[in-house]
């Protein structure tokens, strides 16, 4: 299968560079204005003057770790800000937060009610993207545990696009399809957008893959490993300019998803056990922001409601089946003030103060065999955060300048009382191209509402890998929430370096060392290891012969966790000159592309995990789990010591070429000298995009292709899947490659047209 990919890629790639060369060979008068891809009727071109911060930059004296201009963005082939954010995930992720959620998102240097307010905006409306370190989030009322991404929009655009996507795994068994439309109009401070999407994906069954269990049976056509999915969504946002440069934005969206999964035929019924999950997600948000000035303020409010209804048909022993209803509601409001208190010799003394209100509610009900069990849990919170930035002159003979920061947050929770977070840090710039950062944060954090109150579900006959026997067992698995959880305490220390040795071409180096200690950390242990069983004996039940009967997989609270990580990011970006050409002959296209510079960007990010340990209980004699050296807490083995992301993006004359490689090193899980080995994993993906507005010949022959872009994507080109082997080289049933990754090599084509 792998060999067959290369002729297909070669056939696609071969004609495109030739077309680009033919376009660049012509001449063009220097007086012809250059246009940007997707910029109609003279949309502005953003010019950055070195030495002066661009308009709508973020608050504070921080340099971006990454800057993307329109020609850089074009190489990604993304259609919306959400797609672009997913493609730069490695550059925007942080190791300091409680989850791997998205970064703090700003629009034109201002806070928004939520990413869903702007996530469907087309990327052709973006003039510049800035990715900044976690410390910038303090100025916007957030904790310093998420990177900040600032989308700076063009001032005047009118964009209507439609996109058709289709794809399928090379191994078959599933067809992916998507149709979406976007409309966006920006007129200065006023914006209006509409969007809609419909997606479909067929199920993948065990019989569609090479799955053979240890008892000799083959994968069943009555059991899915990826559900049949149907999803549609719609959204809008509207911004209105107010007096004194203020802007008000109202947004809303609705998403409906239906998943259908099969769990195999039962002994009492010839029909497979089916499970249908309907999820509806309603969101609305409001943002009112003042103009950018020495004193600025922002008010945000949002409300979301997610309903998840799951119907499971059980065998004749339980003819009534099972129905689960889960509703999550979240309402929150924030008031943020940024104030310059004084102008000092080293810079302005600035204060950021915010007030937060939130309401969370989770209701669940399970109906089974005529018995209904219901649960409800909620949390109200009020809190405030203050952050102060103080620039000071470096004492002689130390070169450069310093800036100090102190911040404190107090939250009052209805279920846990008062929690306090505080932190402090220093920034030093000895020379203009070098900055050093250091910060310490001490945080008290509450357990997630779902970890506390998720409905308890008892599923008999689940496959559980038992490390005591190094084999699979059919046992009862218990999942849900744990109401006995208490707040944790985290202490995070970070030291960072930002170095820009060259601006033309731009070369930047970012080095971050993060060390965290977490007391009473909440974890879910998906694998039943001997260490877990010895520490939480009440979670495991065995018969007299030692066979596993039940495994309680609900979250637990461990004594202490320690993690140290070193992150190194190196980026190289260069503008590629494009020869201007003089247009001759008939011109059917309304918006020609020419003269716009190309772009080459190379990024390499390495994460080195130096320590990842956990003491399961607070008792001093409890063994310490070392996830780098044989311990495991999830279904993919231990913690990889090395994770590496390499990407290359090139765009010129309408042709975009992209390549991304992700690598993680091998891990192992040890049990009494018998190892379960998880292989290293390398994933290579490639994408080619072409904009037809850069070809006179194509548009003269086929005017319908005006403002059309085609993108061809192949992910996991070498069809790499993680291999898991036991002491004798066998692969346990639950760890078969096609069960861990049923998709493998995936082909997708996007056709996007602007009207």
């Amino acid at each position: 299968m792998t060999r067959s990919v290369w002729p297909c890629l070669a056939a696609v790639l071969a004609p495109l560079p030739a077309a680009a060369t033919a376009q660049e060979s012509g001449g063009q008068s220097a007086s012809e204005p250059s246009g940007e891809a997707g910029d109609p009727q003279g949309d502005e071109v953003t010019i950055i003057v070195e030495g002066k911060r661009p308009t709508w930059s973020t608050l504070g004296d921080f340099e971006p770790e990454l800057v993307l201009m329109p020609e850089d963005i074009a190489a990604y082939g993304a259609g919306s800000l959400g797609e672009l954010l997913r493609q730069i995930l490695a550059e925007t992720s942080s190791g300091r937060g409680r989850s791997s959620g998205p970064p703090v998102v700003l629009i034109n240097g201002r806070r928004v009610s939520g990413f869903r307010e702007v996530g469907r905006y087309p990327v052709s409306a973006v003039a510049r993207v800035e990715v900044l370190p976690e410390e910038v989030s303090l100025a916007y009322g957030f904790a310093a545990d998420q990177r900040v991404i600032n989308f700076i929009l063009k001032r005047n655009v009118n964009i209507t696009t439609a996109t058709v996507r289709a794809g399928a795994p090379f191994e078959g068994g599933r067809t992916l399809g998507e149709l979406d439309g976007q409309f966006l109009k920006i007129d200065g401070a006023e914006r209006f957008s509409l969007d809609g999407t419909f997606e479909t994906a067929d199920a993948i069954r065990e019989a569609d893959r090479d799955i053979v269990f240890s008892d000799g049976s083959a994968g069943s056509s009555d059991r899915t490993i990826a559900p049949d999915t149907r999803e549609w969504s719609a959204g809008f946002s509207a911004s209105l300019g107010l007096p004194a440069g203020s802007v008000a934005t109202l947004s809303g969206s609705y998403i409906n998803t239906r998943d259908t999964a099969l769990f195999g035929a039962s002994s009492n019924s010839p029909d497979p056990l089916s499970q249908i999950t309907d999820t509806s997600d309603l969101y609305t948000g409001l943002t009112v922001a003042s103009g950018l000035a020495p004193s600025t303020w922002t008010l945000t409010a949002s409300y979301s409601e997610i309903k998840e209804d799951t119907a499971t048909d059980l065998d004749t022993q339980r003819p009534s089946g099972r129905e689960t209803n889960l509703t999550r509601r979240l309402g929150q409001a924030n008031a943020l003030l940024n104030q310059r208190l004084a102008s000092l010799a080293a810079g302005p003394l600035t204060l950021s103060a915010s007030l937060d209100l939130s309401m969370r509610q989770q209701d669940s009900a399970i109906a089974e065999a005529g018995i209904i069990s219901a649960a409800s849990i909620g949390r109200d919170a009020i809190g405030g955060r203050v952050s102060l930035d103080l620039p000071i002159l470096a004492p002689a003979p130390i070169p450069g300048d310093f800036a100090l920061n102190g911040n404190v947050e107090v939250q009052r929770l209805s279920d846990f009382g008062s929690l306090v977070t505080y932190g402090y840090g220093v920034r030093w710039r000895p020379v203009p191209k070098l900055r050093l950062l250091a910060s310490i944060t001490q945080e008290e954090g509450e357990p997630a509402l779902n970890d506390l109150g998720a409905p308890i579900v008892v599923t008999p006959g689940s496959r559980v890998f038992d490390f005591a026997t190094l084999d699979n067992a059919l046992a009862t698995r218990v999942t849900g929430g744990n109401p006995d959880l208490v707040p944790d305490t985290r202490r995070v220390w970070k030291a960072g370096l930002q170095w820009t040795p060259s601006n033309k071409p731009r070369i930047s180096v970012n080095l971050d060392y993060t060390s965290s200690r977490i007391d009473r950390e909440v974890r879910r242990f998906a694998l039943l290891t001997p260490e877990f069983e010895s520490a939480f004996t009440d979670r495991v039940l065995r018969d007299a012969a030692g066979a596993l009967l039940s495994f309680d997989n609900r979250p637990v609270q461990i004594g202490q966790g320690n993690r140290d990580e070193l992150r190194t990011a190196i980026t190289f970006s260069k503008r590629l000159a494009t020869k201007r050409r003089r247009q001759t002959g008939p011109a059917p296209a309304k918006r020609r592309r020419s003269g716009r510079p190309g772009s080459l960007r190379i990024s390499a990010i390495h994460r080195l995990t130096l320590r990842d340990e956990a003491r399961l209980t607070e008792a001093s004699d409890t063994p310490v789990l070392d996830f780098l050296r044989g311990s495991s807490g999830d279904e993919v083995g231990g913690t990889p010591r090395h994770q590496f992301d390499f990407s290359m993006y090139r765009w010129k004359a309408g042709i975009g070429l992209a390549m991304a490689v992700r690598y993680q090193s091998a891990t192992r899980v040890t049990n009494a000298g018998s190892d379960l080995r998880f292989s290293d994993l390398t994933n290579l993906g490639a994408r080619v995009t072409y904009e037809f507005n850069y070809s006179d010949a194509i548009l003269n022959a086929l005017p319908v292709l005006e403002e059309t872009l085609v993108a061809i994507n192949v992910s996991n080109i070498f069809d790499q899947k993680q291999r898991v082997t036991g002491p004798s080289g066998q692969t346990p049933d639950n760890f078969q490659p096609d069960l861990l990754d049923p998709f493998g090599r995936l082909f997708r084509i996007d056709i996007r047209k602007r009207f």
Side-chain angles (χ1 to χ4, degrees):
M1 183 67 72
T2 302
R3 295 179 181 176
S4 64
V5 176
W6 298 111
C8 297
L9 288 177
V12 171
L13 294 172
L16 297 182
T21 304
Q23 292 176 43
E24 296 169 14
S25 62
Q28 178 183 351
S29 65
S31 62
E32 182 180 347
S34 62
E36 296 183 343
D39 292 352
Q41 303 170 357
D43 287 353
E44 66 180 64
V45 177
T46 301
I47 299 175
I48 297 180
V49 180
E50 293 183 14
K52 182 180 179 181
R53 299 202 72 193
T55 305
W56 289 334
S57 290
T58 53
L59 300 168
D61 186 26
F62 285 90
E63 292 295 328
E65 296 180 353
L66 174 68
V67 177
L68 300 178
M69 299 302 290
E71 53 269 25
D72 302 311
I73 298 171
Y76 288 92
S80 66
L81 300 191
E83 291 180 35
L84 178 63
L85 186 57
R86 287 192 293 271
Q87 293 189 36
I88 59 174
L89 182 63
E91 288 93 335
T92 60
S93 61
S94 172
R96 298 175 61 176
R98 293 177 175 271
S99 65
S100 56
V104 173
V105 173
L106 311 175
I107 291 292
N108 296 336
R110 292 167 164 157
R111 181 168 169 166
V112 296
S113 63
F115 184 61
R116 289 174 65 170
E117 178 182 316
V118 296
R120 294 294 298 169
Y121 279 14
V123 295
S124 51
V126 178
R128 186 170 73 254
V129 178
E130 299 175 339
V131 178
L132 299 110
E134 294 92 339
E135 287 76 10
V136 177
S137 61
L138 292 170
Y140 292 93
F142 297 95
D145 59 2
Q146 297 169 283
R147 278 186 164 77
V148 175
I149 182 167
N150 183 26
F151 293 103
I152 300 175
L153 304 179
K154 300 170 185 175
R155 295 179 184 272
N156 295 281
V157 293
N158 194 331
I159 303 170
T160 302
T161 64
T163 304
V164 177
R165 295 185 176 92
F170 276 59
E171 294 181 74
R174 162 172 278 208
T175 301
L176 311 171
E178 181 179 344
L179 175 65
D180 68 57
Q182 303 167 333
F183 170 77
L184 173 64
K185 182 177 181 180
I186 302 178
D187 185 6
E190 298 188 352
R191 307 192 303 269
F192 179 74
S193 73
L194 285 174
D195 62 79
T197 302
F198 176 75
E199 300 180 44
T200 177
D202 298 332
I204 299 179
R205 303 171 186 246
E206 287 183 349
D208 296 326
R209 297 293 182 263
D210 186 18
I211 295 174
V212 179
F213 296 103
S214 55
D215 60 3
S217 62
S220 170
S221 60
D222 292 335
R223 185 183 292 269
T224 57
I225 49 180
D228 180 273
T229 301
R230 301 290 184 271
E231 179 179 297
W232 67 271
S233 64
F236 81 94
S237 71
S239 298
L240 177 66
L242 301 177
S246 301
V247 178
T249 302
L250 178 66
S251 61
S253 65
Y254 179 79
I255 304 173
N256 181 268
T257 306
R258 182 182 179 90
D259 292 332
T260 303
L262 301 177
F263 293 93
S266 68
S267 58
N268 300 306
S269 174
D271 298 323
L273 182 71
S274 65
Q275 186 178 83
I276 299 176
T277 302
D278 277 303
T279 304
S280 62
D281 185 347
L282 176 67
Y283 169 86
T284 184
L286 174 66
T287 302
V288 182
S290 72
L292 298 178
S295 177
T296 64
W297 52 265
T298 306
L299 303 175
T300 60
S302 65
Y303 175 79
S304 65
E305 182 174 293
I306 301 175
K307 293 184 177 181
E308 184 179 293
D309 299 327
T310 302
T312 304
D313 297 323
L314 300 180
D315 57 33
T316 54
Q317 293 177 339
R318 297 175 182 174
S320 60
R322 179 198 297 155
E323 184 176 357
T324 303
N325 306 108
L326 178 64
T327 301
R328 299 187 183 96
R329 300 179 180 90
L330 170 61
Q332 50 190 5
N334 171 270
L336 172 67
L337 173 67
N338 300 105
Q339 178 70 50
R340 289 189 178 184
L341 300 178
S343 296
L344 307 178
L349 174 65
T350 59
L351 171 73
S352 299
S354 65
L355 176 66
D356 292 281
L357 302 172
S358 66
M359 177 278 296
R360 289 176 170 84
Q361 183 70 32
Q362 179 170 296
D363 302 316
S364 62
I366 300 176
E368 184 175 1
I371 300 175
I372 299 177
S373 59
S376 180
I377 187 171
R379 175 183 297 154
D380 299 329
I382 181 172
R385 179 185 297 273
V386 176
S387 177
L388 186 68
D389 280 315
L390 173 64
I392 59 175
L393 295 175
I398 299 177
D401 54 69
F402 287 88
L404 305 179
N405 173 269
N407 58 88
V408 62
E409 178 187 16
V410 179
Q411 289 190 86
R412 180 71 181 179
L413 307 181
S414 59
D415 53 348
F416 287 113
S418 297
L419 302 178
V420 179
T421 297
Y422 64 89
Y424 45 90
V426 60
R427 305 191 302 272
W428 176 36
R429 182 171 58 181
V431 293
K433 294 184 177 182
L434 177 64
R435 294 195 179 206
L436 303 175
L437 313 172
S439 65
I440 294 176
T441 301
Q442 181 84 16
E443 175 189 6
E444 294 179 329
E446 71 279 9
L449 211 60
N450 194 56
D451 288 336
L452 287 167
I456 297 176
V457 178
V458 179
T459 306
S462 298
R463 287 195 183 103
V464 178
F465 185 79
D466 186 1
F467 273 91
T469 61
L470 287 178
D471 200 359
N472 293 296
L474 292 179
T476 298
R477 184 188 290 268
V478 181
T479 59
N482 180 359
D484 297 327
L485 301 177
V486 298
D488 64 30
T489 302
R490 298 172 181 242
R491 183 176 179 85
V492 181
W493 186 85
K494 175 190 173 181
L497 174 151
Q498 296 178 344
W499 180 39
T500 309
S502 171
N503 282 320
K504 292 184 179 180
R506 182 177 177 84
I507 301 174
S508 63
V509 178
N510 289 275
L511 192 65
D512 293 318
Y513 171 78
T514 304
S515 178
S516 61
R517 169 178 168 170
I518 309 173
D519 295 319
R520 301 181 301 277
E521 181 185 8
V522 175
R523 286 206 180 198
R524 291 179 184 266
F525 287 82
L527 291 181
L528 176 53
T529 61
E531 296 93 343
F532 177 88
E533 187 171 356
S534 64
F536 301 97
T537 56
D538 59 330
R539 293 299 188 98
V540 182
L541 179 64
R542 298 183 183 274
D543 63 15
L548 182 66
L549 298 177
S550 175
F551 175 36
D552 189 339
N553 194 203
R554 292 178 296 162
V556 297
Q557 208 142 24
I558 66 173
Q560 185 183 106
N562 292 278
R563 183 180 177 91
D564 299 335
E565 179 183 280
L566 181 64
R567 178 183 183 271
T568 304
I570 303 174
T571 60
F572 170 93
S573 60
K574 178 182 180 181
R575 296 292 175 261
L576 303 178
T578 302
K579 295 182 179 180
R580 296 179 179 272
R581 57 181 174 81
R582 179 180 288 108
Q583 182 178 309
T584 60
K590 298 177 182 178
R591 293 180 287 271
R592 295 289 185 179
R593 308 285 186 256
S594 62
R596 178 181 171 192
S599 172
L600 173 65
R601 193 174 76 82
I602 300 174
S603 171
I605 301 174
H606 178 238
R607 291 180 179 272
L608 174 62
T609 303
L610 302 171
R611 179 171 63 158
D612 189 7
E613 299 174 347
R615 187 183 298 277
L616 288 180
T617 68
E618 295 183 2
S620 59
D621 58 347
T622 302
V624 175
L625 303 186
D626 189 339
F627 298 109
L628 289 171
R629 297 178 177 85
S631 298
S632 176
D634 56 37
E635 295 180 346
V636 291
T639 298
R641 183 174 293 276
H642 300 277
Q643 297 180 71
F644 182 73
D645 290 273
F646 173 85
S647 60
M648 185 278 293
Y649 298 92
R650 184 185 189 276
W651 184 92
K652 188 174 182 179
I655 300 173
L657 303 175
M659 180 185 70
V661 181
R662 169 160 290 187
Y663 167 82
Q664 69 177 39
S665 58
T667 63
R668 76 181 191 277
V669 179
T670 301
N671 173 44
S674 299
D675 289 355
L676 193 65
R677 297 183 178 275
F678 293 75
S679 70
D680 59 2
L681 187 62
T682 302
N683 191 315
L684 168 65
R687 180 176 57 258
V688 180
T689 61
Y690 185 70
E691 300 174 51
F692 288 98
N693 272 43
Y694 282 82
S695 172
D696 288 339
I698 293 178
L699 290 187
N700 287 333
L702 297 170
V704 71
L705 294 179
E706 178 187 348
E707 296 294 349
T708 300
L709 177 145
V710 175
I712 297 175
N713 304 264
V714 180
S715 59
N716 197 359
I717 289 177
F718 296 114
D719 197 24
Q720 295 293 298
K721 299 181 180 181
Q722 192 166 53
R723 304 288 172 174
V724 183
T725 55
S728 60
Q730 83 284 5
T731 297
D733 286 349
N734 284 13
F735 296 107
Q736 295 184 68
D738 285 337
L739 290 177
L740 298 177
D741 179 10
F743 303 103
R745 185 188 299 115
L746 183 66
F747 171 84
R748 196 186 79 184
I749 182 170
D750 300 359
I751 301 175
R752 184 164 63 248
K753 182 173 177 62
R754 179 171 172 178
F755 299 93

